[in-house]
C-alpha cells in the first residue's frame, strides 16, 4: 500500500477555523490603533503647551513682567521671549503667544496650511488646536485659555464690592473623538 503525503480536508478546515477565530479576536485590537495614536498625539501636544506655558510664566515672573496690566515681554532682542505676546505673565492665546513658545512652530503655521500638522482656531481668549487629519469638528483637541486679570467692581453707596479672582492660563484636552 502506498502512503500519500499532505493534509486531510478536516485538518485544513480546523486550521482555517482557528485562523478565523484569531482574526476575529485580534483585528478589533488593531483597528483602533489610529485613534489611540491621535489620542497620544493630543496628550503630547497638551504636555508641550503646559511646559511652554510654565517656562514662559517662570521667565516672566523672574523678569518682572507678570504684573497686572503688563501684556508684553521685554523689548525686541533682549531675550528669547522678546517675540512672545503675554497676558498677565502667561503666553497669549495666539500664534505670537503660546504657539511661538513651542519648539516646532512650523507645525502650526497657517502659511503652511497644506503641510502643517495641526489646525488652529482662535476665539477671543482661547486657542483650539487639533490634528489636521481629525479636524476641529471632532473631539480630538487641546484648548488653551489665556490668563485673565482680576476684576474688582465696586458699587456706589452701600453696594458690596465684587471681585473676579485672577485666573492663570490653562489647557483642556478632549480626546473623546480621537
Amino acid at each position: 500500500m502506498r502512503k500519500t503525503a499532505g493534509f486531510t480536508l478536516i485538518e485544513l478546515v480546523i486550521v482555517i477555523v482557528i485562523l478565523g477565530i484569531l482574526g476575529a479576536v485580534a483585528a478589533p485590537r488593531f483597528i483602533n490603533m489610529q485613534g489611540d495614536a491621535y489620542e497620544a498625539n493630543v496628550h503630547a501636544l497638551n504636555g508641550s503647551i503646559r511646559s511652554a506655558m510654565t517656562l514662559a510664566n517662570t521667565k516672566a515672573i523672574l523678569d518682572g513682567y507678570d504684573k497686572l496690566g503688563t501684556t508684553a515681554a521685554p523689548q525686541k532682542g533682549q531675550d528669547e521671549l522678546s517675540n512672545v505676546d503675554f497676558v498677565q505673565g502667561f503666553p497669549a492665546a495666539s500664534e505670537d503667544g503660546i504657539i511661538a513658545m513651542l519648539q516646532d512652530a512650523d507645525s502650526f503655521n497657517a502659511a503652511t496650511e497644506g503641510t502643517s500638522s495641526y489646525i488652529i482656531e482662535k476665539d477671543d481668549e482661547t486657542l483650539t488646536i487639533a490634528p489636521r487629519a481629525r479636524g476641529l469638528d471632532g473631539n480630538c483637541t487641546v484648548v488653551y485659555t489665556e490668563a485673565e486679570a482680576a476684576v474688582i467692581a465696586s458699587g456706589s453707596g452701600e453696594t458690596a464690592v465684587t471681585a473676579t479672582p485672577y485666573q492663570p492660563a490653562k489647557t483642556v484636552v478632549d480626546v473623546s473623538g480621537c
Side-chain angles (χ1 to χ4, degrees):
M1 187 165 159
R2 194 172 131 169
K3 194 169 188 181
T4 59
F7 297 105
T8 65
L9 182 60
I10 193 74
E11 290 171 330
L12 291 174
V13 168
I14 289 173
V15 169
I16 291 172
V17 167
I18 290 172
L19 289 175
I21 291 170
L22 285 174
V25 170
R29 295 183 66 66
F30 294 111
I31 288 174
N32 196 26
M33 288 190 111
Q34 188 176 26
D36 293 343
Y38 281 114
E39 184 176 334
N41 185 325
V42 168
H43 281 295
L45 175 62
N46 181 53
S48 296
I49 290 173
R50 291 178 62 84
S51 294
M53 178 178 74
T54 303
L55 177 68
N57 182 248
T58 302
K59 182 75 169 146
I61 290 169
L62 292 174
D63 290 350
Y65 50 87
D66 64 321
K67 308 288 187 275
L68 291 177
T70 304
T71 58
Q75 296 297 315
K76 301 286 184 204
Q78 282 188 328
D79 68 15
E80 65 274 4
L81 300 180
S82 63
N83 295 322
V84 177
D85 292 340
F86 281 80
V87 175
Q88 306 303 321
F90 286 92
S94 67
E95 289 189 30
D96 293 330
I98 191 66
I99 299 300
M101 283 297 300
L102 298 175
Q103 192 172 24
D104 186 14
D106 288 340
S107 293
F108 306 93
N109 193 343
T112 59
E113 191 167 314
T115 60
S116 65
S117 302
Y118 299 97
I119 299 173
I120 302 171
E121 181 177 80
K122 172 88 170 101
D123 183 29
D124 293 329
E125 290 87 31
T126 63
L127 193 67
T128 304
I129 306 169
R132 178 164 298 287
R134 288 298 197 221
L136 290 167
D137 297 336
N139 295 331
C140 193
T141 59
V142 175
V143 178
Y144 175 80
T145 305
E146 65 187 33
E148 295 178 24
V151 177
I152 300 174
S154 60
S156 58
E158 295 180 20
T159 309
V161 174
T162 58
T164 303
Y166 163 78
Q167 297 292 321
K170 62 181 179 180
T171 61
V172 177
V173 177
D174 181 3
V175 292
S176 62
C178 288

